[in-house]
Structure formats: C-alpha cells, structure tokens
C-alpha cells in the first residue's frame, strides 16, 4: 500500500464552527487565511454581511486563533509563512448567535454573559466602582484592561451582531429596544479606538450606520467588495480541488445549477452548508432553505402582492439594498441580504450604481416559489400534488393535460380566501401562480423573453421541448388573442434552430370566473435539418 492510500479520508465538517476542532479532527478546509491576512494588512475596522449558514462563525474563529498565535493550527496554510507568530493579541469575542429572549432583560443578560466569559478567558478582574448594569462601561473597561495586561492592543470580534434584532423583527417595539441596546455597546468601539488593534463584525443584515453604528465612521463595509466576495463560501475551483474525492457519482453540472451562484460583485460561491450535506447524503435537496426561511419574509412579500416572475430580475440601487432598519423593511433589501437573491449585473453612472438581481441557484428559485405558492393559494397543501403532477405532464409531453391540471388548481383555491385576501385583485395574480408552479420545479424558465418582435411572457425549456406561453386576462383583452399573438409575432422563431418541438400555448384567465377560461395550443414539430445542425 502506498503512502497516499494510507492517509485517512478527510471528514466533512458539517456544522463545525470551531477552527481548532476542524483542523485537529482532519476535516476538509478551504484555505481562507490568505484573504484573512490581506484584510489585516490593509485595515483595522471591518463589517461583513452574508446570509445564514455561510461560514461567518468559522471565519470569526479563524481570526481568533490567528491573533492568539496558535501556529500549529495553521501549518500548511497561507498564513503560516506570512504571520508574525511572536506576537499574541488579547481577543474579545462577542456572539449573539444563540438569539435573545424578547424579555426586557434578555439582551442585557446576554451581553453581561459575553463580557464575563471574555474576562475569565483573559484572566482579568471585574472593574472597581462600575455598576453591573453599565454594560457600555464594562465593555470599555474590558478593552482597556485587555490592552494594558497583555501589552498589545485588543482584537474585538462580534459574531451575528444583528441577531437579537432579527429574532424580534416582527415586533417593532422589541426590535427597537434591541437595536438601541446594541447601539450603546457598539458605540464603545469608537471611544476605545486607541486600545484596538482590529475589529470585525459580521451578521446577516446591514443596518444603516445612523441607526446602529452611529459615530463608527471608520468601519469598512466588505459586503460588496469584489476582492472579498469569496471570503465566505466555496468557489468552483474549491469544489474541483479540495472536494475532488467527494465528486464521483454526482453530476458536476447539476451541483452548479443547484448550489452555485451567490455573488457579491466578485467570484461566485456555493453555500458551504449545502455542499457539505450533499456530499454526506448524496442527494440534491434544498438543505439551506429547509433550515429556516423566515415566515415574516414570505408574509411581507405576499403583502406587497408580488408579480412572482419579477422576483428573479429586480433592479435596485446599492443604496436601497444597503438600507435595512426596523422602520424600513424593504423586500428587495431583505431578499438580497438574506441570500434569496444575488447580483446578476451592475450598471454604473457617476455617483450611482444599479444592481440587477437574480435567484442564485436552482435551490432558492424552486424553494422560494414553492413557499410563495402556498400564500398565493391560501393553503399549504394545495400546491404540493399539483407541482408533482405538472412535472409528470411535462416529462410526458402531454400538452392537453395542462389545461385540466391548472383548471383544477384554481378551482381548489377556497372561495373564502378570495373574500379575505386582496392578493387576487392584482392583474399578475394568475400569471404569478402559473409561473411559480414551473419555477418551483427548478426548470429553465425565462420570463418576458426578448425577441426582435416583442417579449414572450414565459418560455420553458425542458425535456427536449420548448414551451412558449402568452397570458391574457379576458376582462382586459378579447378572448382568443393569446395564441394569436404568439403566432403573429413569430415568437417561435427564436427557438427554431434548436430543432426541438415547440408548443405555442395561449392561456386566458377570467377575474370573474377565477379560473382559466381559454387554453389554445399549436405545436410546431421538430425540424430535422435544424436538429442535424445542432
């Protein structure tokens, strides 16, 4: 047996947030220490926003072990030869990852516990003359004592800085209390700057500096810095090299479609949680989405009456996407910061930058639309069997079966839901339901697909067949016009060179009947010559 064969197989670090544990237990590790050193060498105060389950806590712990000088953990990594191991810094780490009770004393107790744990770890005494409830005063004293006792400026690392607010976001009164309590503590970082070597805060959301970081004007936001887009997450190259032993037996392109695509103006990355569970379970599942999509986010979206095809192509300024506060819950900012949308493209003019957003991958597209369907239909149970039947119909190429399938779906929506819910009153409601069924299957769905003669409402490419849809509301347009528009504008021309059958499908809805009232189909057979060219 050769030496390589004798090496133990590396473990998958599922759920591990301890850098020391990950390194000592022979787990896979994607080396981020080069980027970590780049940060330390170029500045002192940083903030990073990333979605949940993206490795933020592991990154914080990596900073901790590095500043504490635990050299054996970094053997073979980029930092080993670049770091001055002769200097060790006192590290103060605050974590709110466990959440905070909405009770009035919950946040204060969590901060008090954090300060106590850090004092004990650094061997520092309690401050004399400071009352226990003066949390900013105690935090400032801890920083000053840490500096004086060790002879090196302190490092402050704050993990999930915003979680106490987000956990209570549906109760604005409590959320504001959390915000003000945290604001008082974070203000200490400005007043004790002379005692600080390095500061790093991370969380899911990006609250405005005015609301939470008032006065902390030296905090550099890394969220949209292209150089650090891959500071958390795995790149395509990481998957092909570090995780190469896990790839056999899995469709590599399917891995990309399902889990790659998160982008913050630089290198696109995978969510680590998804990939690790895929490698462990060997099944494609919405692992990240299933860990806890906030109900309030889906409720907020539904209340704004979204035209669901538009969710995957939102255009917003970076200012709007960076604006998040208890009083201004913008759906676009929430979707972007929480990881349900990511950056597709950027358009810049002097003093202004507009970002076009998209679904990062198949997992998010399918799962978010599945959740929205339950709101659009007024029931958690109605869409599930319909989505499965739709897949079977498309797989079989059974075009006539589409009409009764969707007719039955709309007919199953309770009358009482229409009476209580204004959602059905907007023009895009029926098209949204139609679209979200296809999107929930994770198919290649193209909305308002541009041609030289107009825009196709929806194109679906699946199973060697092209499905082109035009939607009309009969109260707004005379019946019979949906299919005719597809033909008159030769929308099929865009896809003829694929050599595949093309189904032209005109779908007409009635607000009064609350259902599909027109469904016409015309099929253009596959072109052999075109197929031969392909």
């Amino acid at each position: 047996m050769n030496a390589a064969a004798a090496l133990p197989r590396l473990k998958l670090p599922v759920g591990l947030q301890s850098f020391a544990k990950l390194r000592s237990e022979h787990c896979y590790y994607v080396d981020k220490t080069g980027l970590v050193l780049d940060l330390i060498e170029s500045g002192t105060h940083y903030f990073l926003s990333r979605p949940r389950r993206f490795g933020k806590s592991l990154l914080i712990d990596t900073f901790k072990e590095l500043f504490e000088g635990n050299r054996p953990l970094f053997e073979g990594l980029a930092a080993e030869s670049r770091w001055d191991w002769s200097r060790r810094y006192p590290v103060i780490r605050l974590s709110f990852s466990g959440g905070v009770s909405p009770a009035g004393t919950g946040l204060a107790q969590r901060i008090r516990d954090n300060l106590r744990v850090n004092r004990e770890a650094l061997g520092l005494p309690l401050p004399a003359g400071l009352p226990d409830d003066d949390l900013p005063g105690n935090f400032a004293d801890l920083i000053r004592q840490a500096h004086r006792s060790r002879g090196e400026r302190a490092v402050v690392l704050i993990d999930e800085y915003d979680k106490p607010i987000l956990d209570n976001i549906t109760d604005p009164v409590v959320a504001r209390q959390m915000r003000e309590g945290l604001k008082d503590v974070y203000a200490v970082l400005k007043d004790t700057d002379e005692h600080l070597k390095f500061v790093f805060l991370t969380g899911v959301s990006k609250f405005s500096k005015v609301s939470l970081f008032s006065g902390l004007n030296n905090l550099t936001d890394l969220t949209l810095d292209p150089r650090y887009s891959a500071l958390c997450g795995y790149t395509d190259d990481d998957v092909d090299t570090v995780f190469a032993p896990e790839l056999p037996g899995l469709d590599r392109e399917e891995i990309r479609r399902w889990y790659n695509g998160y982008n913050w103006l630089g290198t696109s990355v995978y969510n680590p949680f998804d990939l690790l569970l895929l490698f462990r379970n060997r099944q494609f599942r919405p692992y990240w989405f299933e860990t806890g999509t906030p109900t309030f986010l889906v409720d907020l979206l539904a209340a704004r009456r979204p035209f669901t095809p538009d969710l995957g192509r939102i255009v917003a300024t970076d200012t709007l996407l960076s604006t998040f506060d208890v009083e201004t819950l913008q759906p676009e900012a929430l979707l972007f910061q929480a990881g349900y949308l990511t950056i597709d493209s950027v358009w810049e003019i002097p003093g202004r930058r507009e970002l076009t957003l998209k679904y990062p991958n198949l997992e998010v597209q399918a799962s978010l639309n599945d959740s929205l369907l339950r709101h659009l239909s007024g029931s958690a149970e109605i869409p599930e069997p319909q989505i499965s039947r739709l897949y079977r119909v498309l797989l079989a190429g059974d075009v006539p079966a589409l009409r009764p399938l969707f007719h039955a779906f709309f007919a199953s929506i309770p009358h009482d839901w229409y009476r209580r819910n204004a959602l059905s009153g907007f023009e895009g409601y029926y098209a949204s339901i139609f679209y979200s069924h296809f999107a929930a299957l994770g198919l290649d769905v193209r909305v308002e697909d541009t041609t030289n003669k107009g825009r196709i409402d929806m194109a679906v490419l699946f199973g060697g067949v092209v499905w082109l849809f035009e939607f009309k509301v009969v109260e707004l347009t005379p019946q019979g016009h949906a299919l005719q528009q597809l033909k008159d504008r030769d929308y099929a021309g865009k896809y003829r060179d694929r050599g595949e059958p093309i189904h032209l499908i005109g779908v007409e809805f009635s607000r009064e009947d609350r259902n599909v009232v027109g469904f016409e189909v015309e099929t253009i057979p596959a072109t052999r010559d075109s197929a031969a060219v392909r």
Side-chain angles (χ1 to χ4, degrees):
M1 181 181 293
N2 60 40
L7 292 174
R9 187 180 181 91
L10 293 174
K11 299 177 184 177
L12 293 166
V14 178
L16 283 188
Q17 299 175 357
S18 165
F19 183 74
K21 191 172 182 180
L22 183 149
R23 295 289 289 165
S24 63
E25 295 188 1
H26 306 289
C27 295
Y28 285 104
Y29 177 64
V30 173
D31 189 0
K32 303 289 184 180
T33 63
L35 286 173
V36 165
L37 263 292
D38 290 344
L39 272 179
I40 296 171
E41 292 168 358
S42 59
T44 58
H45 291 62
Y46 292 105
F47 166 79
L48 177 70
S49 167
R50 286 294 184 267
R52 59 191 170 82
R53 300 279 188 170
F54 241 90
K56 299 187 298 296
S57 296
L58 178 60
L59 177 65
I60 288 282
D61 206 53
T62 306
F63 278 115
K64 174 182 177 293
E65 299 292 353
L66 186 67
F67 277 108
E68 289 181 342
N70 293 320
R71 182 173 186 168
L73 298 177
F74 293 86
E75 288 182 1
L77 302 181
E80 184 183 18
S81 61
R82 291 177 56 187
W83 186 249
D84 182 358
W85 298 104
S86 67
R87 302 180 69 177
R88 298 191 173 193
Y89 300 86
V91 176
I92 298 168
R93 178 176 179 175
L94 307 183
S95 175
F96 297 99
S97 59
V100 171
S101 164
T105 60
L107 178 60
Q109 188 57 50
R110 179 54 53 88
I111 296 170
R112 196 175 291 114
D113 289 344
N114 267 292
L115 298 180
R116 175 184 53 79
V117 168
N118 279 279
R119 281 191 183 279
E120 291 174 355
L122 293 170
L124 299 176
L126 289 170
L130 268 178
D132 191 46
D133 59 356
D134 182 1
L135 299 177
N138 277 272
F139 185 28
D141 179 82
L142 174 59
I143 292 171
R144 287 191 292 266
Q145 280 201 52
H147 180 195
R148 291 165 184 162
S149 68
R150 298 297 177 89
E152 295 281 7
R153 289 184 173 88
V155 171
V156 174
L157 307 172
I158 302 180
D159 192 13
E160 303 290 359
Y161 86 102
D162 54 345
K163 199 167 189 298
I165 306 171
L166 295 181
D167 284 352
N168 296 282
I169 200 68
T170 56
D171 188 335
V173 173
V174 175
R176 277 193 289 270
Q177 290 174 352
M178 298 291 174
R179 182 189 65 191
E180 294 308 306
L182 290 170
K183 182 178 179 180
D184 289 343
V185 171
Y186 298 151
V188 170
L189 298 174
K190 176 189 177 184
D191 298 335
T192 59
D193 187 56
E194 64 181 298
H195 301 284
L196 294 171
K197 163 68 177 176
F198 186 80
V199 173
F200 194 90
L201 297 90
T202 185
V204 170
S205 61
K206 181 186 174 185
F207 282 87
S208 66
K209 288 186 178 180
V210 174
S211 69
L212 199 53
F213 299 127
S214 180
L216 200 58
N217 53 12
N218 59 340
L219 197 62
T220 300
D221 183 7
L222 300 173
T223 303
L224 295 182
D225 188 326
R227 296 169 297 177
Y228 299 103
S229 185
L231 185 58
C232 291
Y234 300 151
T235 67
D236 243 340
D237 185 60
D238 295 332
V239 176
D240 290 332
T241 55
V242 177
F243 294 102
E246 303 296 330
L247 295 178
L250 293 171
D251 185 326
R252 184 67 182 89
E253 187 54 39
E254 197 72 355
I255 296 174
R256 289 190 182 94
R257 291 181 64 239
W258 264 84
Y259 303 121
N260 194 17
Y262 293 94
N263 190 285
W264 290 275
L265 298 179
T267 305
S268 292
V269 294
Y270 297 76
N271 183 312
F273 184 75
D274 273 323
L275 277 190
L276 295 176
L277 287 183
L278 169 68
F279 293 148
R280 186 184 73 181
N281 300 335
R282 318 301 291 178
Q283 291 184 329
F284 289 92
R285 296 277 306 162
Y287 298 112
W288 174 76
F289 197 92
E290 290 176 345
T291 59
T293 297
T295 303
F296 85 88
L297 175 57
V298 180
D299 289 342
L300 179 63
L301 278 175
R304 299 294 176 95
R305 306 199 311 179
F307 181 49
T308 58
D310 282 343
L311 290 178
R313 52 182 181 170
I314 289 173
V315 177
T317 63
D318 55 356
T319 303
L320 174 63
L321 297 181
S322 300
T323 302
F324 183 89
D325 213 337
V326 177
E327 292 85 6
T328 55
L329 294 177
Q330 297 292 340
E332 298 90 344
L334 281 168
L335 287 166
F336 173 65
Q337 294 179 18
Y340 301 100
L341 295 177
T342 195
I343 297 172
D344 183 26
S345 61
V346 183
W347 183 74
E348 294 190 63
I349 58 175
R352 184 179 180 86
R353 180 164 63 178
E354 288 187 350
L355 307 175
T356 300
L357 305 181
K358 65 174 183 176
Y359 296 115
N361 49 44
L362 181 56
E363 176 196 17
V364 177
Q365 173 190 308
S367 300
L368 184 58
N369 276 279
D370 185 76
S371 293
L372 285 170
L373 264 179
R374 299 171 192 176
H375 281 261
L376 290 169
S377 62
S379 169
E381 293 79 24
I382 290 174
E384 296 304 319
Q386 299 288 336
I387 293 171
S388 298
R389 288 179 197 137
L390 174 61
Y391 187 84
R392 294 189 186 98
V393 166
L394 295 175
L395 199 61
D398 188 357
V399 185
L402 282 176
R403 175 170 185 160
L405 176 66
F406 278 93
H407 192 279
F409 174 76
F410 285 111
S412 66
I413 298 175
H415 169 76
D416 191 53
W417 182 86
Y418 285 102
R419 181 180 61 79
R420 292 182 291 104
N421 198 310
L423 196 62
S424 62
F426 79 102
E427 185 177 341
Y429 171 70
Y430 297 99
S432 290
I433 285 188
F434 221 87
Y435 162 81
S436 288
H437 271 81
F438 289 87
L441 284 170
L443 305 181
D444 185 353
V445 182
R446 305 176 184 186
V447 181
E448 290 195 9
D449 194 15
T450 303
T451 76
N452 62 341
K453 295 184 179 179
R455 295 181 177 181
I456 309 166
D457 280 351
M458 188 171 85
V460 180
L461 310 182
F462 176 71
V465 178
V466 179
W467 310 73
L468 304 183
F469 294 88
E470 186 69 27
F471 304 117
K472 298 292 183 185
V473 177
V474 297
E475 284 82 2
L476 302 175
T477 306
Q479 286 181 268
H481 281 202
L483 177 62
Q484 196 61 45
Q485 181 168 316
L486 287 165
K487 295 164 62 178
D488 290 347
R489 299 187 181 181
D490 189 29
Y491 284 156
K494 180 172 182 175
Y495 293 99
R496 279 197 178 92
D497 65 352
R498 294 176 64 89
E500 298 171 343
I502 302 173
H503 299 305
L504 307 178
I505 306 172
V507 184
E508 294 165 354
F509 305 104
S510 169
R511 289 177 176 173
E512 183 177 341
D513 292 348
R514 297 171 179 168
N515 215 315
V516 175
V517 294
F519 196 95
E520 293 185 290
V521 179
E522 187 168 306
T523 299
I524 301 172
T527 307
R528 290 185 179 179
D529 292 342
S530 297
V533 171
R534 293 184 71 227

